[in-house]
């Protein structure tokens, strides 16, 4: 069984000027469900493009379309598994923000934990059998992360889901979530070219909007949420 993940961010990871930072995304459990989601999303996009008089070359990201249109697109993803992470920046230690590398490490940790919590919930609900999962593809929106940063995120995901992690402080080994996992692939994508990265953008924006407006409860039945710290 293959797990396919698409993810994007919303907000700025900057404690001095922003209260929250968000990851949002969707999970597909087969290439068939991925292809169906792509077709459905493109259809909704084409309708909005015509009704909103957007040009064919214009990318319909959350920052460009109306709240009503974003709602239409978000609802079109109701058949998909959606997950989100809300980071409350004012609750984080100041030293996390002192260096670019420490900021990226925390973001990698937050993304990993949010994805893991969603997958654990799916296992508990019987939607996934951990022993059946043998590969994972993770697609994230491209940004300015350096090459070594990309490698570190891939390694972080691989350890959590394929290899297992070791806590040196407590001398304890935590087994991987998927014991038969063979590969974890990470791909940084251009949202203009990858349809479901645009879908992840809408999900992240929805989570950000509802959180800022103190409407987190509306997400509970629609998105697998993780709140940090």
């Amino acid at each position: 069984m293959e797990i396919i993940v698409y993810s994007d961010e919303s907000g700025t990871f900057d404690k001095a000027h922003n209260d929250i930072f968000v990851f949002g995304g969707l999970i597909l459990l087969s290439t068939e469900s991925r292809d169906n989601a792509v077709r459905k999303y493109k259809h909704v996009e084409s309708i909005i493009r015509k009704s909103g008089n957007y040009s064919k070359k214009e990318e319909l990201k959350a920052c460009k379309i109306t709240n009503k249109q974003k709602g239409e697109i978000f609802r079109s993803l109701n058949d998909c598994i959606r997950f989100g992470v809300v980071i409350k920046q004012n609750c984080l230690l100041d030293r996390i923000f002192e260096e670019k590398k420490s900021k990226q490490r925390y973001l990698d940790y937050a993304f990993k934990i949010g994805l893991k919590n969603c997958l654990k919930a799916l296992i508990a609900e019987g939607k996934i059998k951990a022993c059946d999962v043998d590969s994972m593809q993770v697609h994230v929106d491209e940004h300015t992360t350096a090459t070594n940063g990309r490698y570190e995120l891939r390694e972080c995901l691989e350890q959590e889901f394929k290899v297992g992690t070791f806590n040196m402080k407590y001398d304890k080994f935590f087994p991987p979530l998927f014991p038969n996992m063979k590969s974890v692939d990470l791909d940084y994508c251009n949202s203009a070219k990858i349809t479901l990265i645009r879908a992840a953008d809408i999900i992240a924006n929805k989570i950000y909007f509802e959180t800022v407006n103190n409407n987190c409860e509306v997400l509970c039945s629609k998105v697998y949420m993780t709140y940090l710290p």
Side-chain angles (χ1 to χ4, degrees):
M1 180 184 183
E2 182 176 45
I3 292 175
I4 307 169
V5 181
Y6 293 87
S7 175
D8 201 358
E9 308 167 354
S10 187
T12 303
F13 197 54
D14 174 11
K15 181 178 181 178
H17 304 97
N18 295 271
D19 293 331
I20 67 166
F21 183 87
V22 166
F23 286 106
L26 62 159
I27 296 174
L28 295 313
L29 302 181
S30 68
T31 54
E32 181 181 1
S33 60
R34 177 200 63 195
D35 294 344
N36 287 337
V38 168
R39 284 193 293 270
K40 190 171 183 179
Y41 195 85
K42 283 184 175 179
H43 176 66
V44 173
E45 272 192 328
S46 66
I47 293 174
I48 290 175
R49 193 178 298 281
K50 290 178 183 178
S51 64
N53 293 318
Y54 297 103
S55 71
K56 292 182 179 180
K57 294 182 179 180
E58 193 170 1
E59 185 182 355
L60 301 186
K61 297 199 74 171
C63 61
K64 292 185 177 180
I65 62 178
T66 68
N67 287 336
K68 180 180 179 181
Q69 291 165 342
K70 284 186 279 189
E72 291 173 6
I73 292 177
F74 185 80
R75 287 190 294 274
S76 76
L77 299 167
N78 282 345
D79 292 336
C80 298
I81 299 164
R82 296 171 292 203
F83 73 97
V85 182
V86 173
I87 301 172
K88 301 174 183 177
Q89 299 192 63
N90 63 326
C91 297
L92 297 180
L93 297 173
D94 290 341
R95 66 171 179 262
I96 290 174
F97 298 88
E98 290 175 356
E99 297 180 0
K100 186 175 181 180
K101 197 161 188 176
S102 62
K103 289 172 66 176
Q104 192 58 53
R105 281 177 177 167
Y106 185 83
L107 290 174
D108 290 349
Y109 160 79
F111 176 71
K112 176 193 73 172
I113 291 300
L115 180 57
K116 183 179 182 180
N117 286 347
C118 177
L119 293 170
K120 286 173 67 177
L122 295 174
I123 292 170
E125 293 169 3
K127 296 177 181 178
I128 294 177
K129 290 186 178 179
C131 59
D132 289 345
V133 178
D134 57 15
S135 65
M136 180 184 292
Q137 292 182 20
V138 180
H139 306 273
V140 300
D141 190 33
E142 63 182 1
H143 47 75
T144 56
T145 303
T147 301
N148 61 338
R150 296 183 179 199
Y151 172 79
E152 287 171 3
L153 175 57
R154 182 186 179 280
E155 189 177 55
C156 178
L157 295 171
E158 192 173 59
Q159 287 180 340
E160 195 67 49
F161 299 117
K162 177 186 175 184
V163 179
T165 58
F166 186 78
N167 188 314
M168 296 182 68
K169 182 177 180 180
Y170 298 104
D171 194 26
K172 186 173 182 181
F173 175 73
F174 297 90
L177 189 61
F178 302 115
N180 297 322
M181 178 76 77
K182 295 182 177 63
S183 65
V184 178
D185 296 316
L186 175 66
D187 185 26
Y188 283 83
C189 307
N190 182 344
S191 59
K193 297 179 179 179
I194 305 300
T195 302
L196 294 182
I197 289 293
R198 297 195 296 278
D201 169 64
I202 296 295
I203 295 170
N205 181 268
K206 173 72 171 177
I207 295 169
Y208 186 92
F209 176 81
E210 298 297 355
T211 303
V212 167
N213 288 282
N214 297 314
N215 290 324
C216 295
E217 67 277 1
V218 306
L219 298 170
C220 295
S221 62
K222 302 174 183 179
V223 185
Y224 290 88
M225 292 298 303
T226 294
Y227 294 91
L228 296 173

